[in-house]
Amino acid sequence: MQLGIIGLGRMGGNIARRLTRAGHQCVVYDAKPEIAQGLAKEGMTPARDLAELVQLLAPPRAIWIMLPAGPITEEAVETLGRLLSSGDALIDGGNTYYKDDIRRAAALATRGIHYLDVGTSGGVWGLERGYCMMIGGPKDAVAGLDPIFKTLAPGIGDITRTPHREGRDPRAEQGYIHAGPAGSGHFVKMIHNGIEYGLMQAYAEGFDILRNKASEALPENERFDLDLADIAEVWRRGSVVASWLLDLTAISLAESGDLAHYEGAVADSGEGRWTLEAAIEEAVPANVLAASLFARFRSRQDHTFGDKLLSAMRFQFGGHVEVKEPGTAADAPK
């Protein structure tokens, strides 16, 4: 299939590469022309601006936006809404607030343009591992773009198949789902990221406790000088707390046991805040997720070893560098 891709950063560029390597035709645009020109050497067609990108695509067109949530994405959607035609599809693969998706879908539908919101997880590893996708939008439009989603998804791989799934949507075990109407894809991804906050915080606090068991504040006969890299490694293998986040933790601790090159000021992408807003609207208690978000706020004032580990995990899965300004929430999708 042919697909336009806007935003060629940590994830957008690799999405274009994965699709191109599978035989799809990608027309690409980035605010930095040299990035798009660089991808031309890998078989993609660069566009100088959004208007040219639309012209280079054959109707019915499909365009994937992979930009940070907020004004930059909003501007791109508005511009493309004027350039596209009835029957075209516009996909937002970033971490947009789901209520914005609902509003955009309704506005674009008046012109016959399909709007899809695709919560995308996979970070900088997605080129080789594939991307887990949670898709919202019209059923027919989602079905028409299935070759794109199937290529980007990780596939079944060597993960043990879940019992009792007979008769269910087979796309889920391929690594992507049609969650429902516009907004549902980003809503599911938003909760995914809220849970991610809690998981990361649990690992960070646990390893902080392990590290401080050597503290001189404890009686000498109760101190243990524990090898955190080895503990992370052994937990990866057969433990009930094994996960990809633990895999990334093991990588970070093997590289640097004290994580000295991380400051420990941990950013939040906005998704944790939105998750708590949804919990409040639904009157659902979310104690762990709330505490993990507030811990990130605290990390910008007082850094612990656990905060450094959070920063290390974020760098490993998404290439996120530490934010120096308190309160900043401007991460790209992950």
Side-chain angles (χ1 to χ4, degrees), residues 198 201 276 279 284-295:
Q201 188 65 32
L276 293 187
V284 173
N287 308 51
V288 171
L289 306 191
S292 64
L293 176 63
F294 296 146

Side-chain angles (χ1 to χ4, degrees), residues 1-6 25-28 45 47 50-64 80 84 88-90:
M1 290 188 69
Q2 191 182 44
L3 181 72
I5 301 177
I6 298 168
Q25 298 176 341
C26 293
V27 179
V28 297
T45 303
L50 298 187
E52 184 178 54
L53 182 138
V54 171
Q55 292 171 1
L56 289 169
L57 294 170
R61 306 170 186 87
I63 297 177
W64 185 303
L80 290 166
L84 294 174
D88 292 343
L90 184 56

Side-chain angles (χ1 to χ4, degrees), residues 71-128:
I72 187 171
T73 294
E74 193 70 34
E75 181 180 354
V77 170
E78 290 178 0
T79 300
L80 290 166
R82 295 190 294 268
L83 294 170
L84 294 174
S85 304
S86 179
D88 292 343
L90 184 56
I91 305 162
D92 181 0
N95 281 339
T96 289
Y97 185 44
Y98 77 99
K99 292 185 179 180
D100 290 335
D101 293 314
I102 297 171
R103 168 180 54 79
R104 293 174 187 167
L108 291 171
T110 63
R111 298 198 53 214
I113 300 169
H114 307 301
Y115 180 87
L116 287 71
D117 53 290
V118 180
T120 310
S121 184
V124 296
W125 299 76
L127 175 60
E128 302 301 332

Side-chain angles (χ1 to χ4, degrees), residues 144-158:
L145 289 164
D146 190 73
I148 294 294
F149 301 133
K150 188 172 184 178
T151 298
L152 290 175
I156 293 178
D158 58 1

